[in-house]
Amino acid sequence: MTMSTTHKIAVLAASLLLAGAAQAAALEQFKTFVASTKSARGEFTQRQVKAGKSSNTASGTFEFARPGKFIWTYLKPYDQLLQADGEQLYIYDKDLNQVTVKKLGNALGSSPAAILFGSNDLEKNFTLSEAGTRDGLEWLKAVPKTQDTTFEQIAIGLRNGTPEAMELKDNFGSMSVLTFSKFEKNPQVGAAHYKFVMPKGVEISQQ
């Protein structure tokens, strides 16, 4: 065996080892994130992708506290608030002056929101697997175990133990791409922070 061949094999072995380490990092990072992050807040952008084309870009802020409490605020291009207090989900459309109220129940379990906002028992509702390295992030794939979800699969991109991106692929060939910034872990907030205050004069729809 020539030195050149030995060198090539060594490089290949090192590459495989590095690839294995990178793939293992996503699941390890995510489990550490879930275990250590009881609450968080930050900013997000969201865009729809279909047939390789992007559209409907939106942006806003988010806050969450496990389990099942969150405030997801769209600021652009429309003003809409999604807020959950652990029992009910409130969707406030300011343009329509309407609040839709839904039971949170088990709906959170197999939804994309459970990735960030749910309990630590994610493997009960999702099959988790490594998805390699892309765009400088380690990716994790989450496939819902139940069929009663609009999402075929979800991918989470992590860096340094923090989610920086999510890709939500639905059953109709479209994908929502979320990117997170200014991610702050475990901020100190009061117990009543996630309690929804019904605006005066709104139309209420109970579902």
Side-chain angles (χ1 to χ4, degrees):
M1 185 177 291
T2 66
M3 182 63 70
S4 177
T5 303
T6 303
H7 178 70
K8 288 178 181 177
I9 291 174
V11 169
L12 177 61
S15 298
L16 290 172
L17 284 171
L18 287 171
Q23 289 178 351
L27 185 55
E28 182 180 338
Q29 282 189 62
F30 185 67
K31 287 187 173 181
T32 299
F33 164 75
V34 171
S36 64
T37 309
K38 306 305 179 187
S39 62
R41 61 188 172 201
E43 299 178 2
F44 73 89
T45 60
Q46 180 178 346
R47 59 189 172 89
Q48 298 296 117
V49 178
K50 190 166 187 177
K53 296 182 179 180
S54 297
S55 62
N56 301 328
T57 300
S59 61
T61 63
F62 70 88
E63 301 177 66
F64 73 85
R66 302 183 192 279
K69 296 182 179 69
F70 62 86
I71 301 171
W72 188 273
T73 307
Y74 287 98
L75 299 173
K76 296 178 181 179
Y78 46 81
D79 199 338
Q80 188 182 63
L81 171 70
L82 286 76
Q83 184 164 337
D85 59 10
E87 296 182 1
Q88 306 224 75
L89 171 64
Y90 301 86
I91 303 171
Y92 177 29
D93 191 316
K94 293 187 179 180
D95 289 338
L96 297 177
N97 198 33
Q98 182 183 68
V99 174
T100 302
V101 185
K102 299 181 179 183
K103 277 280 187 184
L104 202 58
N106 294 325
L108 188 68
S110 58
S111 73
I115 296 288
L116 293 177
F117 314 136
S119 68
N120 293 357
D121 193 17
L122 287 172
E123 289 176 285
K124 177 182 177 182
N125 298 302
F126 293 91
T127 300
L128 304 178
S129 61
E130 303 288 347
T133 304
R134 176 166 47 91
D135 302 327
L137 304 177
E138 307 296 341
W139 288 86
L140 182 69
K141 183 169 73 172
V143 178
K145 291 183 178 179
T146 60
Q147 301 299 315
D148 59 343
T149 175
T150 57
F151 292 98
E152 180 182 310
Q153 70 177 43
I154 301 163
I156 308 101
L158 300 106
R159 190 194 331 251
N160 299 324
T162 302
E164 290 192 9
M166 287 179 71
E167 296 176 346
L168 316 172
K169 184 179 179 182
D170 67 21
N171 297 317
F172 305 101
S174 295
M175 184 164 64
S176 295
V177 179
L178 292 156
T179 56
F180 305 111
S181 60
K182 299 182 180 178
F183 206 107
E184 180 186 351
K185 295 183 181 181
N186 302 317
Q188 297 295 317
V189 297
H193 183 68
Y194 293 94
K195 182 177 176 59
F196 184 76
V197 178
M198 192 70 69
K200 291 182 179 180
V202 297
E203 178 186 343
I204 301 172
S205 173
Q206 197 88 30
Q207 295 184 6

